[in-house]
Amino acid sequence: MERGEFTYHEIISQPSSWAAALEVLKSQRSAIVSVWRKGYTQVLFTGCGSTYYLALAAAALLQELTGIPARGLPASELWLYPHVYYPRNGRVLLIAVSRSGETTETLRTCQAFKEGRYGELLTLSCYPDMPLAKMGDLNLVLPSGQEQSVAQTRAFSTLYLACAGLASFWSGLGVEVFNGLPEAGEKIIEAANSTVKALGEDSSLDRFYFLGSGPRYGLACEISLKMKEMSLSHSEPFHVPEFRHGPISMVTPGSLVVGLLSEANRAVETAVLEDVRTLGGRTLTIGEGSADLNFNSGLQEAFRNVLYLPVGQMLAFARSLAKGLNPDCPNNLDTVVKLK
Ligand code: F1P
């Protein structure tokens, strides 16, 4: 078997996995809408590792679209410090996300949430027979996200897309906001291939920074995690303008700063990347319209965010192979973290 065979297949098959996820959303629409009718003072998304970063991205998107306060938190925080995070009054919607559906911290958080009667629990996972998929008031299962690799790629983007689907339903929209997304995914995977391969194989690069603001910050965190897990490289995520407030000191000719550009704040964000180039650092910009890698999707910003993911995953994958590693099996990491 080739190094990275599973991960490669999981990365390039994402668009069809997204199409399958959209079908699940369509079929569950009325159940999803009725969960929201109960009314919440606070929505909390939770998960561990990749799915924690997903929680950050999904919470930002949900609040942007619905106006209801939403936060993303690691499951361990909610499990160990519930009083720091649950409001004293009002009803909470907890949305627990897990590829495996069996990560201990996530399960313990959900159990304690139910026992504490804080509100409703919605779960999203990829395996119907795992414990998480039986715990919620509503359980959404996205089998197309299932994976053989340890590091999440297809699972992350598919579960994230499902969360974006919740946000679209709960803001009164339908799945048609995602029309053309799988096709746009195929296009960006094809268009980004040679650029990310060349950067991934460039041994003069020794540090990577991923910048994303608003609903893109959690995605920048996830891409940075891919770089660590798959390629054992120094990598950090930041909100875009935050990069100037200290991290910019680290810029050298061996730095690659990747900008997940927005539409509304494009000028502010590209100025940060210009500063990096002035200091001799390298940059790569991704977004709709003028960017090194242009999605050219025609989709609304809130519903095309998932397109940043394959580009970052492919960069990490190329770097991993170039370093002689196996992207399918990151060092010291298991597919699921189970505590005794
Ligand atoms: C999340 C997790 C991550 C880890 C790796 C494997 O599990 O364990 O913490 O970084 O990507 O997955 P899950 O609860 O989403 O299955």
Side-chain angles (χ1 to χ4, degrees), residues 203-219:
S203 58
S204 71
L205 294 172
D206 67 355
R207 60 197 72 185
F208 298 84
Y209 300 103
F210 295 93
L211 312 189
S213 288
R216 285 160 298 281
Y217 176 67
L219 304 180

Side-chain angles (χ1 to χ4, degrees), residues 133-212:
K134 298 177 174 65
M135 291 182 88
D137 297 286
L138 176 62
N139 301 296
L140 297 176
V141 180
L142 292 306
S144 64
Q146 292 175 6
E147 293 179 312
Q148 278 159 297
S149 305
V150 172
Q152 302 196 14
T153 54
R154 183 172 68 193
F156 184 98
S157 67
T158 302
L159 290 164
Y160 170 75
L161 178 60
C163 290
L166 301 179
S168 81
F169 289 170
W170 294 341
S171 59
L173 302 168
V175 276
E176 56 289 346
V177 293
F178 298 103
N179 282 352
L181 186 67
E183 295 76 6
E186 301 282 2
K187 268 200 305 191
I188 193 67
I189 287 171
E190 171 75 31
N193 190 39
S194 56
T195 305
V196 292
K197 195 163 180 289
L199 286 169
E201 289 173 357
D202 186 339
S203 58
S204 71
L205 294 172
D206 67 355
R207 60 197 72 185
F208 298 84
Y209 300 103
F210 295 93
L211 312 189

Side-chain angles (χ1 to χ4, degrees), residues 48-51 98-100 103 150-152 225 229 333-335 337:
C48 295
S50 287
T51 39
S98 168
R99 171 178 65 180
S100 63
T103 296
V150 172
Q152 302 196 14
L225 179 67
E229 289 176 337
L333 189 64
D334 290 325
T335 318
V337 176

Side-chain angles (χ1 to χ4, degrees), residues 15 17 67 80 94 111-112 118 158-159 250 277 279 282 303 312 330:
S17 177
L80 299 173
L94 179 65
Q111 194 54 42
Y118 292 103
T158 302
L159 290 164
M250 294 289 289
R277 286 194 292 276
L279 293 168
R282 313 258 302 269
F303 305 113

